[in-house]
Amino acid sequence: PPLPATPPPHTESPPEEEPILWPPVKVTGIIKMGSAFSARLDNRIVGPGETVNGIELIRVTEEGAVLRYRGKEKLLRVGESTR
């Protein structure tokens, strides 16, 4: 008896994710107080867990600020902005 036909390989590409348009926020400074860091976002001093324009500050290092918006994270250095 003939073998069952094998289905053709799946060639559809997965749906592309919509790019997330981040609200505008600029890292204007990094502040170190003892062993703790804060960031200046749009000239507001913000600590980890706080939000600016709906963007949450996750952590701050000497390199920059790690921000989260709609589940995506992004590292911004001083002088960089989300747009």
Side-chain angles (χ1 to χ4, degrees):
L3 294 173
T6 44
H10 187 67
T11 55
E12 271 185 50
S13 56
E16 288 188 28
E17 283 187 34
E18 286 281 320
I20 293 175
L21 184 60
W22 287 58
V25 166
K26 184 173 185 176
V27 178
T28 54
I30 299 292
I31 300 121
K32 184 175 182 183
M33 295 175 277
S35 61
F37 285 92
S38 294
R40 191 186 321 218
L41 304 179
D42 288 344
N43 294 317
R44 280 184 49 201
I45 295 176
V46 181
E50 295 183 75
T51 60
V52 174
N53 285 353
I55 297 173
E56 182 183 4
L57 177 64
I58 302 300
R59 68 184 168 277
V60 184
T61 66
E62 292 175 2
E63 263 189 68
V66 178
L67 308 174
R68 180 187 297 143
Y69 182 69
R70 294 193 177 174
K72 299 285 184 189
E73 291 187 6
K74 180 182 286 199
L75 170 70
L76 294 182
R77 290 174 173 77
V78 175
E80 293 182 333
S81 64
T82 52
R83 289 203 188 165

